[in-house]
Amino acid sequence: MSAIRQVRIPQQEEISAPAAERDRENPLELLRDAIARLKSSDSGVPDEAEVAYLLAEAREVLERAKVIARAVSQCETFLGEGQFGKAFEALDAGLLVFPGDPALLARRREVEARAALQEANWLYEQDRVDLAAQFLREKAEALANQETVVARLEELEALLPVWEQKRHAQAALARAASLEQLSQWQAALTVLEEALQAYPASEELLAGAQRVRECLVEHERRKKLARRLELIAQKIAAQSWRQALTLVESTRAEFPGAPELAPLRREIDAGVRQAECDAVVAEVRQHMADGELDQAEAALRQGRKLLGAETALEALREELLAEKKYRDDLRTAQVLFGRRQLPEAEQILAQLVAEGRPEARALLEAVREARAAMEEENFLENGRQKALELIQQQQFAAAADLLRNLLLLFPGNPFLERDLSAAQAGLEPKAADTAPAAGHVAAPEPEPLPELQTASGDDAPVREIAPLRFRRAAIAGTASLLLVSAGGAAWKLTRGDAPVSRPPQRQEVAQVSSAAAASEPSVTEPPDSPPPVSLTVAADPASSKSQTQPAPERAAALRQFVPPGAKATASQASALPAPPGAEPAVSAVAIPGLPVAEVKPSDVLAPPAPAQAPVAKPVLPPGGNFQQAELMTRTLPEYPMFARTRGVYGMVRMDAVIDEHGEVKNVKILAGDPVLAAAAKKTVLTWRYKPATLNGKPIAANVAIQIVFGDRSR
Amino acid sequence: MSSHPVSQIAGQVTRYLFGSVRYTQRDPSVVIAVLNLKGGCGKSTIAVNLACELASGTESVLLVDNDSQGTASHWLSHGRLPVAGEYMPLETDEDGERLVRAVAGRNERYVVLDAPAHVGAAAFAAGKIADLVLVPVTASGVDLVATRTVVDLVRRAREVRRSGTPKCLIVPSKIDRRTDAGRRIDEQVREFGESIGPAVHQRTAFVDAFGAGQWIGEYAPLSPAHYDITALAMAVKRSLRI
């Protein structure tokens, strides 16, 4: 193209000569005329100069023709190869030799027209109709005679409006698309609508606008759905399950088929179920906290019926079963505690504590405390019995050692002090000789010795075999014992606030004075009469419990171990020591003129049998509604004259079985003076009880009975 | 309750896994150390018989022989004692640490240590882990001097533990009241300012029981010697309870 532009195009008038003149000036014709003239005879001999000129002219013409032919030939060759530049170079080379050659000029314009058309076609193919039209428009001015160019220009100009419309529409669509990518739906729609105002018939714009409108609607719909979903999520988070469910239903009606609603619906269903489950759990737990296990079980059963096998409910069921078992175990332990079956109660409670039931720990501590107190009491009784045996066997040193140890554990115990004095007296043989000289009332009497010996063991062989020194010592020790017994009575008379049957720290026996004997006045005693005594038949609910805690407080403390759910069960209440005044403390009433005993069945916390002499207790099923035996009728023991005249007093502890008919069976003497014990046992066998019941059925049960033969004047 | 489904599932899984599980807990063992720095004062006799007396109920007892003399171990070797036994002599500091670890891992209700007859970090370790230290004291001037050292050791252990423990119970041992020293032992041990337990008297039954490989409650039940041990066990329980 550049070659085309470099060549100056001759003016139209330069190359447009008349045809006749062109023929006349045709060099070949002129040469042919000149040769004809030379051959003609008319002209004679041709002038050589003229012929030479003609020959030169002819050669020039020939040369010109050759150049033109070669240029045209090369041009055609290059055009065939599509190399317009070389084609122009070939023509321009010819024109350089023969400038203004009309053939070459014409040929060059044709080549220019073809090049222009090719360029325009290329632009057209590149969808630049405007540029193609403009290019041809510029070329058409120079190539006005080229019809193909003009025709093509007209075609392009006809296509140009449609093309421009299409181009504007595509630009608008592209801009709208970029805005759509930015989610600027409204702006994209505005762009397209503006474009439509210019080209209202553009289908592309119409389709694009419609699509953007749909997108806009879908976008608004999604925004609304998102707001709804967020609101539902808020309701779910607030556990407002009903409101959430209503919202989901309305949203589903408005947006049918929205996939986001399905998981929310499932979550709400699960939440509603969980809420119902939680409500059941809360109700059951409330019942459990209130101790209403039956109601808790009913609520749980109903919940399981409604909700099926929910994991939480199954776990709660396990927990409820464990709780019931715990309550049963605790109740069993309480009953066992009440029956003084302390090791069994301790075993159950220790297991409960080990299972993580700290509330059982307090009861366990109480049981252990009671057990320790029971062990100590047993040890005191057994140790004292052993010491007495040793004294009887004249092993005074061993007896004194034992009694010293006992006194270290139970300081101030008058019995132990008395026994220790007796043992120490036995260690000093001279005391036996001096004892009768002391002038005590009971010392000279020979009768008590066999009775006491019978009571404490068979000592006759010892007396026969033992040397005289030991025999005297035995007599002296026994005499001292009796002296001390009488002295103990005097000691008790002088210490009105001191206990008579137990160490001072264990004075918890409800004691009621009685006449010394059935035949004696109950209140006043003549100064010269035998030492007045009191008879106390005691049921001591707290006798074996803590020494430092008052009985009512301990009873109250024990009551708190009873689970709330057991309140309705009378057995538990009866199995616990009642505070003073809560129940008739002692049913006995003083009978004027007769020995009065205050009797209460120490069914619950009475001291048990010692370990080395276990009483055959009836086997009772643990748990259940246990009602202890109640004393109905009783007579009072006679104070044996033998004991009364010698100042023998003290407590007799017995363990008896009350059979199903309320009769007293199998009375075991646990502690006490043998003479007093025989009288006590004889009387107790005549007593009648209302039998103990287990779940309303009478059963045999153990009761512990304590009878204190004491000083009535206190 | 969390409303998040993951939290709900986690809660359900937790309840499922642990709803029926109950953790068990146990009381730590009560450690009773029988300690004196003088040999021949009846430590092993008291330790073995006290352990067996404690075990005669429903309680489980471990008797640990910390004395390299191995008297208690020899007693146990007959297999007639109702207690479990371990021989763990205390000679070095490492032994003391080993003892602490061993006692901490035991399940018995009572652990009775028959401590060695020499003072040292190991004996101090026994004092540090003990709830009650029994100090057997014979009616001998030498014993009384050695007892002073033990009482000081116990008081140092109290200062370290800052809890008033170990409690201390001085036990007159091998007492014969027929002798003057035996009669005056109570007054002498009272000077230490610690609680005094029941006396364990000089009785041949203890020696015979050792020879038979039995404890006194089995060898001579309800004998005066048995009552000595029973009284001592009673005092021990009372000391631990208060």
Side-chain angles (χ1 to χ4, degrees):
Chain A
M1 294 299 292
S2 59
I4 296 174
R5 290 189 180 116
Q6 287 171 358
V7 174
R8 189 182 67 84
I9 302 297
Q11 297 297 318
Q12 188 69 24
E13 51 274 7
E14 290 181 358
I15 59 173
S16 58
E21 191 175 347
R22 241 184 4 249
D23 291 341
R24 193 175 56 243
E25 290 180 354
N26 190 344
L28 191 58
E29 291 295 331
L30 290 175
L31 182 59
R32 193 175 290 116
D33 289 343
I35 292 169
R37 271 191 315 271
L38 286 175
K39 286 178 176 179
S40 64
S41 56
D42 295 341
S43 57
V45 177
D47 188 1
E48 288 181 1
E50 188 177 355
V51 170
Y53 173 75
L54 286 175
L55 282 173
E57 285 288 330
R59 283 192 197 98
E60 186 182 352
V61 170
L62 181 60
E63 185 67 20
R64 183 172 184 168
K66 285 180 179 178
V67 168
I68 291 170
R70 189 172 63 244
V72 170
S73 173
Q74 287 179 349
C75 177
E76 290 299 325
T77 302
F78 288 131
L79 285 178
E81 296 174 356
Q83 297 179 3
F84 284 93
K86 289 187 176 181
F88 278 118
E89 287 176 1
L91 292 177
D92 288 343
L95 284 172
L96 192 63
V97 178
F98 300 103
D101 184 85
L104 288 177
L105 289 175
R107 187 62 187 166
R108 197 175 193 285
R109 279 195 291 271
E110 286 180 7
V111 172
E112 282 185 18
R114 288 182 62 181
L117 285 175
Q118 188 177 12
E119 181 75 11
N121 285 338
W122 183 81
L123 288 171
Y124 177 77
E125 289 171 0
Q126 297 302 315
D127 199 17
R128 290 308 302 265
V129 178
D130 55 338
L131 293 180
Q134 185 180 0
F135 180 74
L136 285 183
R137 204 174 294 123
E138 292 171 356
K139 289 293 181 185
E141 292 176 359
L143 302 172
N145 56 347
Q146 294 294 325
E147 294 178 354
T148 56
V149 173
V150 174
R152 185 61 181 163
L153 178 59
E154 289 175 354
E155 287 178 8
L156 290 178
E157 285 182 343
L159 288 174
L160 197 56
V162 177
W163 178 84
E164 284 182 350
Q165 177 181 349
K166 181 182 176 185
R167 186 183 175 197
H168 279 100
Q170 286 178 346
L173 287 172
R175 195 175 166 200
S178 62
L179 288 170
E180 282 183 53
Q181 287 184 348
L182 298 173
S183 302
Q184 299 292 331
W185 312 101
Q186 191 61 51
L189 185 61
T190 304
V191 167
L192 291 176
E193 284 177 346
E194 286 178 354
L196 274 174
Q197 286 179 358
Y199 306 103
S202 172
E203 294 180 357
E204 289 180 333
L205 288 176
L206 286 172
Q210 182 63 27
R211 183 174 53 80
V212 170
R213 281 193 195 95
E214 290 175 357
C215 287
L216 190 59
V217 170
E218 179 65 18
H219 176 64
E220 292 295 332
R221 178 179 173 276
R222 287 195 170 277
K223 280 175 66 176
K224 188 174 181 182
L225 180 60
R227 285 197 298 273
R228 288 291 185 89
L229 294 177
E230 186 180 357
L231 188 59
I232 293 170
Q234 288 176 358
K235 295 297 179 187
I236 290 175
Q239 299 180 25
S240 304
W241 305 110
R242 298 296 173 193
Q243 298 179 17
L245 192 61
T246 306
L247 276 174
V248 163
E249 292 301 328
S250 63
T251 306
R252 175 173 287 179
E254 192 173 351
F255 303 95
E260 298 90 343
L261 291 173
L264 286 175
R265 179 58 190 264
R266 285 195 294 272
E267 185 177 354
I268 290 170
D269 289 343
V272 169
R273 186 180 177 84
Q274 186 64 40
E276 293 174 353
C277 185
D278 288 343
V280 172
V281 169
E283 184 183 359
V284 171
R285 287 200 181 282
Q286 183 62 43
H287 284 310
M288 286 171 67
D290 294 340
E292 300 163 343
L293 294 187
D294 293 337
Q295 296 178 17
E297 194 172 8
L300 181 60
R301 195 183 305 118
Q302 189 174 359
R304 292 181 69 209
K305 190 175 178 181
L306 288 174
L307 299 173
E310 191 75 16
T311 307
L313 295 184
E314 292 301 318
L316 189 61
R317 180 170 167 270
E318 297 290 333
E319 191 176 341
L320 183 59
L321 289 175
E323 184 69 18
K324 284 186 73 176
K325 181 178 181 302
Y326 163 68
R327 296 290 172 91
D328 288 343
D329 287 348
L330 194 64
R331 198 174 303 158
T332 303
Q334 288 168 346
V335 172
L336 290 172
F337 187 23
R339 291 182 196 155
R340 312 299 297 161
Q341 295 175 304
L342 300 180
E344 293 86 347
E346 183 178 350
Q347 188 177 1
I348 293 174
L349 290 170
Q351 180 66 27
L352 292 180
V353 171
E355 288 175 356
R357 295 287 190 172
E359 57 268 32
R361 179 175 289 277
L363 185 55
L364 176 63
E365 294 298 327
V367 170
R368 282 180 172 162
E369 197 174 345
R371 189 180 171 196
M374 184 184 75
E375 285 178 355
E376 288 196 0
E377 197 164 344
N378 286 338
F379 180 66
L380 171 63
E381 296 296 331
N382 298 330
R384 185 167 165 257
Q385 289 293 331
K386 178 68 179 178
L388 292 176
E389 283 179 18
L390 291 171
I391 289 174
Q392 296 292 328
Q393 295 165 7
Q394 302 167 12
Q395 300 177 18
F396 299 109
D401 291 342
L402 175 54
L403 288 167
R404 272 193 212 95
N405 278 349
L406 286 172
L407 268 173
L408 190 74
L409 291 170
F410 308 99
N413 187 301
F415 293 94
L416 296 176
E417 288 173 351
R418 182 190 66 185
D419 297 342
L420 179 59
S421 300
Q424 285 174 338
L427 286 172
E428 299 171 1
K430 290 180 181 178
D433 300 330
T434 56
H440 290 289
V441 177
E445 294 199 9
E447 293 86 358
L449 190 56
E451 295 256 352
L452 288 173
Q453 285 167 349
T454 304
S456 58
D458 184 11
D459 199 35
V462 176
R463 282 195 291 138
E464 289 174 4
I465 297 170
L468 180 62
R469 183 169 61 86
F470 292 129
R471 187 179 301 173
R472 282 209 303 270
I475 294 170
T478 308
S480 300
L481 179 62
L482 295 177
L483 284 172
V484 171
S485 298
W491 171 81
K492 196 174 72 170
L493 285 171
T494 56
R495 292 186 58 187
D497 56 341
V500 295
S501 60
R502 317 190 67 184
Q505 64 270 28
R506 294 181 177 277
Q507 184 182 6
E508 293 169 0
V509 178
Q511 190 166 352
V512 173
S513 297
S514 69
S519 58
E520 292 181 1
S522 61
V523 177
T524 60
E525 291 289 336
D528 55 348
S529 65
V533 295
S534 68
L535 173 63
T536 300
V537 182
D540 182 12
S543 63
S544 59
K545 292 173 62 62
S546 170
Q547 302 169 12
T548 57
Q549 193 175 14
E553 294 177 10
R554 286 200 304 278
L558 276 178
R559 279 184 180 281
Q560 70 183 3
F561 302 142
V562 180
K567 285 177 182 173
T569 308
S571 61
Q572 281 80 49
S574 66
L576 289 172
E583 64 180 26
V586 179
S587 59
V589 177
I591 302 171
L594 289 176
V596 177
E598 189 159 5
V599 180
K600 178 185 173 186
S602 56
D603 50 359
V604 177
L605 293 173
Q612 64 271 26
V615 177
K617 294 185 177 180
V619 178
L620 298 178
N625 186 358
F626 179 73
Q627 198 78 24
Q628 187 52 270
E630 293 179 10
L631 180 63
M632 304 300 290
T633 62
R634 48 97 182 92
T635 56
L636 299 173
E638 290 183 2
Y639 202 119
M641 184 62 71
F642 176 80
R644 185 166 57 86
T645 55
R646 287 160 179 78
V648 178
Y649 60 93
M651 179 178 65
V652 176
R653 290 178 49 222
M654 291 163 285
D655 196 336
V657 174
I658 310 301
D659 66 7
E660 298 86 345
H661 308 292
E663 295 181 354
V664 182
K665 305 285 186 186
N666 198 14
V667 177
K668 298 287 184 185
I669 305 298
L670 304 180
D673 186 276
V675 178
L676 302 178
K681 181 177 179 179
K682 180 182 175 184
T683 305
V684 165
L685 283 170
T686 65
W687 290 2
R688 287 294 176 270
Y689 280 76
K690 179 183 177 184
T693 58
L694 181 65
N695 296 324
K697 295 182 178 177
I699 59 168
N702 278 83
V703 295
I705 303 171
Q706 297 180 16
I707 298 179
V708 177
F709 292 81
D711 187 352
R712 175 193 165 275
S713 62
R714 291 183 60 247
Chain B
M1 184 198 72
S2 172
S3 66
H4 198 276
V6 175
S7 301
Q8 290 177 2
I9 294 171
Q12 290 176 359
V13 169
T14 305
R15 281 192 292 273
Y16 177 76
L17 289 179
F18 300 108
S20 60
V21 175
R22 292 197 177 279
Y23 293 98
T24 59
Q25 56 183 19
R26 64 178 180 86
D27 293 331
S29 299
V30 175
V31 182
I32 303 164
V34 185
L35 183 61
N36 200 340
L37 305 182
K38 181 181 174 303
C41 61
K43 284 192 300 294
S44 298
T45 301
I46 288 176
V48 169
N49 286 293
L50 174 65
C52 295
E53 175 65 29
L54 292 174
S56 61
T58 59
E59 311 286 7
S60 57
V61 180
L62 172 69
L63 175 62
V64 182
D65 187 1
N66 295 133
D67 194 347
S68 56
Q69 290 181 353
T71 308
S73 298
H74 179 73
W75 210 326
L76 279 161
S77 64
H78 295 82
R80 304 190 64 169
L81 302 184
V83 295
E86 274 196 18
Y87 178 61
M88 200 180 297
L90 287 183
E91 299 292 343
T92 63
D93 294 354
E94 290 76 16
D95 291 340
E97 296 172 4
R98 195 158 51 92
L99 174 70
V100 172
R101 285 196 299 271
V103 170
R106 301 299 300 204
N107 291 321
E108 282 81 3
R109 181 81 181 98
Y110 294 103
V111 175
V112 179
L113 306 180
D114 182 12
H118 56 77
V119 71
F124 188 62
K128 278 198 297 185
I129 64 170
D131 298 291
L132 174 66
V133 173
L134 295 185
V135 186
V137 182
T138 63
S140 156
V142 181
D143 255 27
L144 296 173
V145 172
T147 303
R148 172 63 62 191
T149 309
V150 175
V151 171
D152 290 343
L153 186 147
V154 169
R155 288 174 180 166
R156 269 194 293 144
R158 284 178 189 157
E159 290 175 3
V160 170
R161 293 165 70 171
R162 297 179 181 176
S163 60
T165 50
K167 291 167 181 164
C168 183
L169 201 61
I170 296 177
V171 182
S173 177
K174 295 186 174 180
I175 298 303
D176 187 348
R177 301 283 182 186
R178 293 173 298 185
T179 64
D180 185 54
R183 285 190 290 272
R184 291 195 298 112
I185 184 67
D186 291 341
E187 300 172 7
Q188 290 172 334
V189 298
R190 203 169 289 128
E191 295 174 358
F192 294 119
E194 297 289 344
S195 301
I196 302 169
V200 178
H201 297 89
Q202 178 72 40
R203 303 191 194 279
T204 56
F206 287 124
V207 182
D208 297 339
F210 176 75
Q214 296 173 303
W215 73 288
I216 195 66
E218 185 187 9
Y219 180 79
L222 304 180
S223 64
H226 186 200
Y227 271 96
D228 285 355
I229 296 300
T230 310
L232 178 60
M234 203 68 67
V236 164
K237 288 181 180 175
R238 189 184 279 185
S239 296
L240 292 170
R241 199 167 61 243
I242 295 172

